[in-house]
Amino acid sequence: MEILPKKYKSKLSFFETEEAIKLVKDTFQKKLAKKLSLHRVTAPKFLMVGKGLQDDLAGTQVPVDFRVKFSKTPVEVVHSLAKWKRHALGRYGFKQGTGLYTDMDAIRKDEDISPIHSIYVDQWDWERVISKEERTIPFLKKVVKKIYAAILETEKVVETKYPALKSKLPKAIKFLHAQELEDLYPKLSMKERERSIAKKHGAVFLMGIGHPLKSGEAHDVRAADYDDWSTETSSGKKGLNGDILVWDLVREDVLELSSMGIRVAAESLEIQLKHMGLEERKGLAFHKAILEEKLPLTIGGGIGQSRLCMVVLQKAHVGEVQASIWPEEVEEEFAKRKVVLL
């Protein structure tokens, strides 16, 4: 895989980049909070094992764990806060129409390193209380449009301060279901489909991720116990979740900025746990609370901080906007090309 595109040069110096990273993060989180009525909260960096609050990313990665002196129970560094957030909304008594957002920092030691993947993950995790009547595709789309508007407004603020960074994102986001995408490109792989549709429209919200399509394969794997990917919508398609995808003009490739959705209710949790052979989880505290309808109905997601910085600051590699560790060949390529690796 190409580490940096040929002839690539950063449009910002090191000092401008560091200032611009802060500008992107400060601007976007304020706009997101205002548009979705979110309160900033403090969140854990690690969780005790056995409560059901840890997000196992559909079982694809092993968390970093450690022991503490005061407990025999292992502690795991969070992979995301998808379940913790919903638990927190109930615990702190958030009202319908309001929610929370927080900084989520994770270590994903099993991540395959690439220009858009690091073992360090930084994102805004957010969650909002909704009503039963809002568990619909129209409401999901309404929330996505607000998030995308916050992205566009952030891009404009950055362009005002750094004129070299001309706005590139389209003014509207395209909505498409994973089944429609499979119908459009039946012979392409999942990633090739995403690449094709993002290149065509510039920004896409791809819905219905996790449930098997007509081909028998899901567009991508989703955990059984947070996003609702099994509920049938008014259009007859399944899934109340999706990903925000944009076309990255610097890398000339698709880039996922956010994974989000309306969360499972009791019925959909039952269905999804059974589908994935995880029915034993029904005994965990978090899952029991959903099944017994003791937790609020919610919508939520994660938005990549470094990835948003990549798009808005027109960077070619995530190592330009976050400090992590990299293989020697990455460090050598950056040094040879005179591009700053943070």
Side-chain angles (χ1 to χ4, degrees), residues 81-211:
L81 295 167
K83 299 167 191 172
W84 176 88
K85 292 177 296 181
R86 187 171 180 181
H87 168 77
L89 289 176
R91 178 185 175 190
Y92 298 130
F94 277 76
K95 303 299 182 183
Q96 181 187 327
T98 68
L100 61 82
Y101 79 96
T102 191
D103 291 304
M104 193 287 297
D105 299 293
I107 301 170
R108 296 183 185 169
K109 65 181 183 61
D110 300 315
E111 193 74 65
D112 292 324
I113 298 303
S114 79
I116 62 172
H117 293 98
S118 167
I119 64 167
Y120 168 59
V121 178
D122 56 340
Q123 65 183 38
W124 290 283
D125 258 321
W126 65 274
E127 199 86 5
R128 176 177 165 171
V129 180
I130 62 174
S131 67
K132 184 177 181 180
E133 291 71 30
E134 289 173 325
R135 300 188 78 255
T136 65
I137 288 295
F139 181 76
L140 175 63
K141 289 181 176 180
K142 181 180 177 180
V143 172
V144 171
K145 287 177 181 177
K146 289 183 178 181
I147 295 172
Y148 190 67
I151 293 172
L152 292 181
E153 290 170 19
T154 300
E155 185 184 44
K156 208 65 185 171
V157 168
V158 172
E159 180 187 13
T160 299
K161 183 165 185 179
Y162 303 99
L165 299 175
K166 299 296 182 186
S167 297
K168 301 290 186 181
L169 292 172
K171 301 308 176 188
I173 188 167
K174 172 76 173 178
F175 290 90
L176 201 72
H177 192 278
Q179 186 57 65
E180 296 173 305
L181 189 61
E182 183 182 71
D183 294 341
L184 279 173
Y185 307 109
K187 295 182 180 180
L188 298 184
S189 69
M190 176 263 285
K191 287 300 178 187
E192 289 170 338
R193 289 174 196 160
E194 289 185 355
R195 193 173 190 277
S196 297
I197 204 67
K199 185 176 183 180
K200 180 177 180 180
H201 294 288
V204 177
F205 185 67
L206 185 62
M207 298 178 288
I209 299 176
H211 196 278

